C-alpha cells in the first residue's frame, strides 16, 4: 500500500468473521480477526476499537478508511459499507455528500455511489434523512437518480435512503424500483409484518424475496 498522510483503518464482515486492521504505508500496525457465523453488526465497532487501541491510533488520527466488499454475502457487505460511510461522515475522512442532501442541492451524485465490481452499485445515506419521502417524490430527484443509474449501468442498484421504508415515506420510493428485496430483522419480524408490506406494495414492483437477518433456523 502506498504511503498516505496517516494510518488507514480497514475492516471486513463479508463472510463468517469480523476483521479489522490498521496500516501505515507498507506496515501493519495492528490486526484482529474473530470468526463468527452471526453477530457481526453488534461486534464490528468493538473489533475496530480494539484494533485501533492495539495500534496506538485514535479515530482522529485516521487518514483513510477501507472496507472489504467481497465476494461474500450481501448482509455482511452491507454492515461494513454502512459502518464505513458512518465513520467517514463523522470523521470527515474521504467525506462524500449524503444522497438526500445531494439530491436536494442538485449536486453530483457520483461521490455517493459505492461500486462492487461491474454489476452492483450501492447509493444512499449513512444516517437517517428526515426528508427522505419528500425527496424521492421530487420529479427532479427521481430524474437525477434515473440518469445516474442509467449511466452506471449496473445489473443491480441498491438504494438506501433511511427512513424511506418507514410508513408512508416507503411508498415514495416504489416508482424508482423494478424489483424489491425485503430485508427484515429475523428476531422481531412476524408474518403479519410481511403481509402488511405485501399489501402496501399491491400495485408496486414484484417482490424478489425476503432476507431474514439474524434469524434462528
Amino acid at each position: 500500500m502506498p504511503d498516505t498522510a496517516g494510518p488507514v483503518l480497514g475492516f471486513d464482515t463479508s463472510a463468517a468473521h469480523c476483521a479489522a486492521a490498521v496500516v501505515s504505508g507498507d506496515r501493519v500496525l495492528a490486526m484482529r480477526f474473530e470468526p463468527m457465523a452471526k453477530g457481526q453488526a453488534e461486534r464490528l465497532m468493538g473489533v475496530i476499537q480494539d484494533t485501533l487501541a492495539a495500534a496506538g491510533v485514535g479515530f482522529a488520527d485516521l487518514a483513510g478508511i477501507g472496507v472489504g466488499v467481497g465476494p461474500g454475502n450481501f448482509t455482511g457487505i452491507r454492515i461494513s459499507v454502512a459502518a464505513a460511510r458512518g465513520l467517514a461522515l463523522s470523521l470527515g475522512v474521504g467525506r462524500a455528500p449524503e444522497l438526500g442532501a445531494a439530491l436536494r442541492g442538485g449536486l453530483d451524485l457520483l461521490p455517493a455511489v459505492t461500486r462492487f465490481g461491474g454489476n452492483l452499485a450501492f447509493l444512499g445515506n449513512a444516517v437517517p434523512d428526515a426528508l427522505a419521502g419528500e425527496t424521492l417524490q421530487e420529479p427532479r430527484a427521481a430524474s437525477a437518480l434515473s440518469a445516474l443509474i442509467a449511466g452506471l449501468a449496473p445489473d443491480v442498484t441498491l438504494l438506501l435512503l433511511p427512513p424511506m421504508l418507514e410508513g408512508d415515506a416507503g411508498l415514495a420510493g416504489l416508482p424508482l424500483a423494478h424489483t424489491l428485496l425485503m430485508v427484515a430483522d429475523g428476531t422481531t419480524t412476524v408474518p403479519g409484518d410481511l403481509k402488511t408490506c405485501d399489501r402496501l406494495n399491491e400495485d408496486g414492483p414484484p417482490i424478489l424475496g425476503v432476507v431474514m437477518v439474524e434469524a434462528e433456523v
Side-chain angles (χ1 to χ4, degrees), residues 36-51:
M36 59 184 67
K38 62 179 182 178
Q40 288 92 333
E42 293 80 8
R43 181 62 186 134
L44 177 58
M45 289 310 299
V47 170
I48 289 173
Q49 291 172 333
D50 290 346
T51 307

Side-chain angles (χ1 to χ4, degrees), residues 67-93:
V67 58
V69 294
N73 68 75
F74 164 71
T75 299
I77 293 172
R78 180 174 58 86
I79 290 169
S80 283
V81 170
R85 284 183 173 272
L87 286 172
L89 176 68
S90 62
L91 299 173
V93 175

Side-chain angles (χ1 to χ4, degrees), residues 170-183:
L171 303 179
L174 293 182
L176 299 172
H178 296 104
T179 306
L180 294 181
L181 177 64
M182 294 195 295
V183 181

Side-chain angles (χ1 to χ4, degrees), residues 72-194:
N73 68 75
F74 164 71
T75 299
I77 293 172
R78 180 174 58 86
I79 290 169
S80 283
V81 170
R85 284 183 173 272
L87 286 172
L89 176 68
S90 62
L91 299 173
V93 175
R95 186 170 180 174
E98 290 295 314
L99 178 62
L103 286 170
R104 290 188 291 273
L107 305 177
D108 180 12
L109 302 182
L110 196 57
V113 176
T114 301
R115 291 301 299 261
F116 302 96
N119 64 341
L120 176 62
F122 173 91
L123 59 152
N125 269 31
V127 295
D129 188 323
L131 299 176
E134 293 87 339
T135 299
L136 291 176
Q137 293 181 76
E138 288 275 346
R140 185 181 68 174
S143 296
L145 280 173
S146 296
L148 174 68
I149 294 170
L152 294 172
D155 294 330
V156 177
T157 301
L158 302 177
L159 173 63
L160 179 65
L161 189 58
M164 65 174 278
L165 296 181
E166 294 181 10
D168 293 339
L171 303 179
L174 293 182
L176 299 172
H178 296 104
T179 306
L180 294 181
L181 177 64
M182 294 195 295
V183 181
D185 184 345
T187 63
T188 59
T189 301
V190 297
D193 297 328
L194 301 178

